[in-house]
């Protein structure tokens, strides 16, 4: 497998947008569709997915995947860590689309809000992306612990949340993903 650094990945995204004119919303759409396609492969005939989203672009990829999974007839439960008002513009656009589709979004305030997650056949980790450089703090650390203890297969977007994408070092706590979908 060929690897690239975080700086190289960010440069690729910037070049795609500036040199090729691909809007960041399209890059997010392609990433989210790829996550949904991998999730469907992992699900086989099962039909329940929990998607745990942060407020950055990684969370936006998770929100896009929710839409594609819903359109494929999958029962989706979306959990948002952080305030919707903190969402970057592209993830905010995708959150608004899901709301117009009448998809309920669970705003995580405590671990109790995750109790239904164990009913899922697959959990998608869209909390942190490649930019994480400091230890994971509460409440995200508790959410990651619950995900890891769920005994459900975990699919991570870009990199398992809690890992330094350049070094692979665990930053306090990290998702133990069965699979990770990456994009460049």
């Amino acid at each position: 497998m060929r690897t690239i650094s975080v700086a190289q990945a960010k440069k690729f995204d910037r070049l795609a947008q500036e040199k090729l004119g691909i809007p960041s919303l399209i890059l997010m759409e392609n990433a989210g569709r790829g996550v949904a396609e991998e999730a469907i492969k992992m699900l086989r005939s099962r039909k329940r997915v929990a998607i745990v989203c942060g407020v950055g672009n990684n969370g936006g990829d998770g929100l896009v995947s929710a839409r594609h999974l819903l359109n494929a007839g999958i029962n989706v439960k979306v959990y948002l860590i952080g305030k919707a008002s903190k969402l970057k513009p592209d993830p905010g656009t995708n959150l608004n689309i899901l709301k117009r589709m009448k998809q309920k979004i669970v705003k995580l305030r405590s671990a109790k809000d995750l109790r239904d997650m164990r009913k899922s056949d697959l959990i998608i980790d869209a909390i942190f992306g490649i930019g994480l450089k400091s230890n994971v703090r509460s409440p995200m650390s508790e959410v990651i612990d619950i995900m890891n203890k769920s005994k459900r297969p975990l699919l991570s977007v870009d990199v398992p949340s809690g890992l330094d994408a350049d070094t692979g070092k665990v930053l306090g706590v990290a998702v133990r993903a069965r699979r990770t979908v990456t994009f460049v």
Side-chain angles (χ1 to χ4, degrees):
M1 170 177 23
R2 199 169 147 217
T3 62
I4 62 172
S5 68
V6 170
Q8 289 170 315
K10 288 180 178 182
K11 183 177 179 180
F12 278 125
D13 275 355
R14 191 174 62 255
L15 289 173
Q17 292 172 60
E18 293 172 3
K19 294 234 184 223
L20 300 177
I22 302 171
S24 58
L25 200 57
I26 298 296
L27 295 175
M28 185 172 287
E29 181 69 23
N30 291 338
R33 186 179 63 247
V35 171
E37 289 169 359
E38 189 61 31
I40 289 168
K41 288 179 198 172
M42 291 176 74
L43 282 168
R44 294 187 183 103
S45 63
R46 295 165 296 188
K47 297 286 183 184
R48 294 176 307 208
V49 175
I51 305 174
V52 185
C53 300
V55 295
N57 287 335
N58 196 262
D61 295 344
L63 295 169
V64 171
S65 72
R67 181 168 33 86
H68 286 281
L69 290 167
L70 286 165
N71 288 338
I74 307 295
N75 180 338
V76 176
K77 190 145 194 181
V78 177
Y79 299 89
L80 182 64
I81 301 176
K83 296 179 180 179
S85 62
K86 300 268 185 188
L87 283 166
K88 292 182 177 182
D90 292 346
T93 296
N94 283 294
L95 179 68
N96 288 332
I97 292 169
L98 283 175
K99 286 179 177 177
R100 288 183 182 133
M101 291 175 71
K102 307 292 186 221
Q103 173 63 38
K104 183 181 177 200
I105 309 297
V106 178
K107 293 179 179 111
L108 289 178
R109 292 179 187 89
S110 73
K112 291 178 195 172
D113 295 329
L114 290 170
R115 63 181 161 255
D116 286 345
M117 188 170 57
R118 288 194 171 102
K119 295 178 184 175
S120 300
D121 299 307
L122 175 70
I123 300 169
I124 296 176
D125 156 35
I127 303 170
F128 297 117
I130 61 172
L132 186 66
K133 293 295 178 198
S134 61
N135 277 1
V136 178
R137 294 185 302 271
S138 182
M140 283 72 130
S141 57
E142 286 88 2
V143 170
I144 289 172
D145 280 336
I146 290 167
M147 291 167 68
N148 286 336
K149 291 176 182 173
S150 71
K151 299 184 180 174
R152 298 292 181 254
L154 302 172
L155 172 63
S156 287
V157 178
D158 283 331
V159 63
S161 292
L163 288 185
D164 180 304
D166 276 328
T167 67
K169 178 184 173 193
V170 174
L171 299 171
V173 64
V175 168
R176 291 190 299 267
R178 181 172 291 176
R179 288 198 188 139
T180 301
V181 181
T182 63
F183 322 93
V184 172

